[in-house]
């Protein structure tokens, strides 16, 4: 596991420098060499799990993290002219589905609600997933699980996934991320071993999802 913070002596936590941490994690998670070697465009779906709409902090952390991940993956998956090589889409749990009453696979094809069918098509057409979650009580956020539980494993199977977790505290949602691994595995979208954990996300990203760095060189490196 690669963290934005490294643990030294027991009970001590310190910042790792941004050039060595966040961009490095994204290279591992996004698999830039794999994407660059692809012979066809990939469709990457980012699932943002938080349903919070108000802070503090404001704006809520999920928006900051999601905007950064979307931007970073889009840039990393572009050619030398900046033209995207792959299609990146975002599904927000807060804007998607109500509390689960009836999953997609229980409907006759002609009777699936439009909103449910639209999300199913986005998920089905994706080649890979990046799943973003905060940590609630040592677990992934319920909005994310509710959204994904609307669909069966046939929607996700045989596609890789990556996990991004974050928190306002010092551990970056690591416990939520580890709890998410068996859930994604059961759905068939096996998560890659590398994960991104963002502790104290309000100090890492500004309200536009840009890296807050101590100097311009760190910021430039983090956003490359």
């Amino acid at each position: 596991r690669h963290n934005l913070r490294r643990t030294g002596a027991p009970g001590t936590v310190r910042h790792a420098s941004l050039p060595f941490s966040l961009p490095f994690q994204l290279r591992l998670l996004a698999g830039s060499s794999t994407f660059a070697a692809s012979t066809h465009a990939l469709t990457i779906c980012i699932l943002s799990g938080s349903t919070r709409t108000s802070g503090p902090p404001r704006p809520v952390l999920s928006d900051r993290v999601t905007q950064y991940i979307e931007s970073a993956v889009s840039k990393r998956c572009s050619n030398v002219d900046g033209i995207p090589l792959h299609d990146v889409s975002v599904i927000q749990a807060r804007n998607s589905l109500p509390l689960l009453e009836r999953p997609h696979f229980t409907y006759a094809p002609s009777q699936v609600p439009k909103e449910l069918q639209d999300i199913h098509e986005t998920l089905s057409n994706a080649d890979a997933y990046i799943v973003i979650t905060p940590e609630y009580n040592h677990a992934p956020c319920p909005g994310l699980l509710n959204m994904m539980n609307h669909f069966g494993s046939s929607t996700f199977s045989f596609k890789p996934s990556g996990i991004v977790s974050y928190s306002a505290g010092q551990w970056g949602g690591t416990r939520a991320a580890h709890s998410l691994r068996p859930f994604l595995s059961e759905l068939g979208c096996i998560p890659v071993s590398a994960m991104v954990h963002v502790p104290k996300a309000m100090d890492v990203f500004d309200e536009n999802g840009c890296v807050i760095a101590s100097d311009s060189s760190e910021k430039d490196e983090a956003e490359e």
Side-chain angles (χ1 to χ4, degrees):
R1 185 173 76 249
H2 304 276
N3 286 315
L4 277 173
R5 292 172 181 261
R6 294 174 171 183
T7 304
T12 63
V13 178
R14 64 181 178 85
H15 269 294
S17 64
L18 278 171
F20 186 74
S21 53
L22 195 56
F24 178 64
Q25 294 179 78
L26 282 170
R27 282 194 287 272
L28 290 171
L29 180 62
S32 57
S33 60
T34 301
F35 287 158
S38 298
T39 57
H40 67 283
L42 298 179
T43 300
I44 304 165
C45 183
I46 298 173
L47 302 172
S48 182
S50 176
T51 56
R52 291 187 61 189
T53 58
S54 62
R58 297 181 179 87
V60 292
L61 296 180
S62 64
D63 293 341
R64 307 183 192 202
V65 177
T66 300
Q67 288 180 69
Y68 177 79
I69 295 298
E70 181 183 11
S71 175
V73 172
S74 297
K75 289 179 181 178
R76 189 162 297 282
C77 300
S78 300
N79 63 17
V80 293
D81 296 319
I83 300 174
L85 298 175
H86 307 297
D87 179 49
V88 181
S89 61
V90 177
I91 298 177
Q92 295 272 5
R94 77 164 72 98
N95 299 325
S96 57
L97 300 169
L99 191 65
L100 176 62
E101 293 184 4
R102 187 175 178 182
H104 177 272
F105 54 81
T106 64
Y107 288 92
S110 61
Q111 297 178 349
V112 181
K114 183 180 185 305
E115 184 179 24
L116 189 62
Q117 182 60 25
D118 289 345
I119 295 176
H120 177 260
E121 290 179 1
T122 299
L123 294 173
S124 297
N125 292 333
D127 298 303
Y129 308 99
I130 297 177
V131 184
I132 304 175
T133 184
E135 181 176 313
Y136 296 160
N137 300 315
H138 295 198
C141 60
L144 174 67
L145 303 183
N146 176 72
M147 176 177 64
M148 298 186 72
N149 277 329
H150 276 82
F151 308 97
S153 59
S154 60
T155 304
F156 302 95
S157 292
F158 306 107
K159 303 172 185 179
S161 63
I163 298 173
V164 177
S165 66
Y166 63 91
S167 70
Q170 65 182 1
W171 304 117
T174 55
R175 292 166 294 200
H178 282 281
S179 298
L180 195 55
R181 294 185 66 86
F183 174 75
L184 295 176
S185 298
E186 181 64 21
L187 285 176
C189 51
I190 306 299
V192 298
S193 59
M195 296 186 283
V196 174
H197 309 303
V198 187
K200 296 190 175 180
M202 61 284 192
D203 297 330
V204 178
F205 303 119
D206 66 18
E207 61 183 17
N208 298 312
C210 298
V211 173
I212 301 171
S214 58
D215 57 56
S216 59
S217 62
E218 280 194 350
K219 184 173 182 178
D220 291 343
E221 177 68 18
E223 294 182 348
E224 285 182 359

